[in-house]
């Protein structure tokens, strides 16, 4: 069974440049990028997620969600 990850950032948090910068800094595998419009998700790095939860701690509570998708 393979595990795929999707990362969701709530719109208001995603548009916050400070949150974007923090997320870019904390993720050890570069899933977040602080872009001109806020948080961007780097799709090609999503499968590198190590479920460390650092992004959940860096963002305001409940604003980042790691979704585990299983494929059988
Ligand atoms: S759980 Fe860790 S590796 Fe996964 S997106 Fe968040 S900070 Fe990055």
């Amino acid at each position: 069974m393979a595990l795929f990850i999707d990362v969701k950032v709530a719109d208001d948090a995603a548009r916050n440049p400070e949150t974007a910068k923090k997320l870019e800094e904390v993720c050890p595998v570069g899933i977040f990028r602080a872009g001109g419009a806020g948080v961007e998700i780097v799709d090609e790095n999503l499968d590198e997620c190590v479920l460390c939860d650092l992004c959940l701690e860096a963002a305001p509570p409940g604003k980042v969600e790691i979704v585990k998708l299983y494929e059988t």
Side-chain angles (χ1 to χ4, degrees):
M1 196 163 71
L3 173 63
F4 296 92
I5 297 293
D6 195 14
V7 176
K8 294 183 180 169
V9 183
D11 284 347
D12 54 341
R15 283 193 299 268
N16 182 316
E18 267 179 39
T19 301
K21 200 160 174 280
K22 264 198 228 165
L23 288 172
E24 185 180 79
E25 280 169 13
V26 297
C27 180
V29 295
I31 286 174
F32 304 97
R33 188 188 292 137
V39 183
E40 295 166 9
I41 304 291
V42 182
D43 287 333
E44 60 267 33
N45 290 348
L46 273 177
D47 60 353
E48 305 289 331
C49 176
V50 291
L51 301 174
C52 65
D53 287 354
L54 288 174
C55 55
L56 307 186
E57 290 160 20
K63 296 298 184 185
V64 174
E65 196 187 347
I66 303 290
V67 186
K68 295 170 197 164
L69 309 165
Y70 295 91
E71 185 178 84
T72 51

